[in-house]
Amino acid sequence: MKRYDLRHLKTEFEPRMKEILGTHGAGEVAIFLFEIGDFTPIQKSADLVKECGYELMNSLKFNEVDWTIVAKKA
């Protein structure tokens, strides 16, 4: 299990998230932390997780501005 803090990328976190998801093997778990802003990134990140062959295990609001997604490689 690895945790990735993508908050510094603001709304441009998706390319980096996709790059990271491409490096994991079957059964591995990735935890991503990113800023949500207007909540649009939440659905985009869930779609990206599915597109990359991962199972979305958890998605929750971490604090007032941050969101956490836990995904497992299928």
Side-chain angles (χ1 to χ4, degrees):
M1 181 179 344
K2 286 191 175 182
R3 180 176 172 262
Y4 302 96
D5 188 346
L6 305 178
R7 292 178 291 182
H8 65 284
L9 299 172
K10 305 290 184 197
T11 60
E12 302 299 319
F13 71 91
E14 288 180 66
R16 177 66 178 135
M17 185 176 176
K18 187 172 185 173
E19 179 183 329
I20 292 168
L21 289 170
T23 66
H24 283 240
E28 289 189 72
V29 175
I31 301 170
F32 295 96
L33 183 63
F34 57 91
E35 286 189 16
I36 53 173
D38 67 355
F39 290 91
T40 304
I42 297 167
Q43 186 61 52
K44 287 183 178 180
S45 62
D47 293 343
L48 182 61
V49 164
K50 185 176 180 180
E51 174 187 317
C52 291
Y54 280 71
E55 174 186 355
L56 182 61
M57 298 178 69
N58 200 350
S59 176
L60 57 97
K61 190 173 182 180
F62 182 68
N63 59 34
E64 291 300 313
V65 295
D66 300 326
W67 200 268
T68 302
I69 282 193
V70 180
K72 182 177 180 180
K73 180 74 171 180

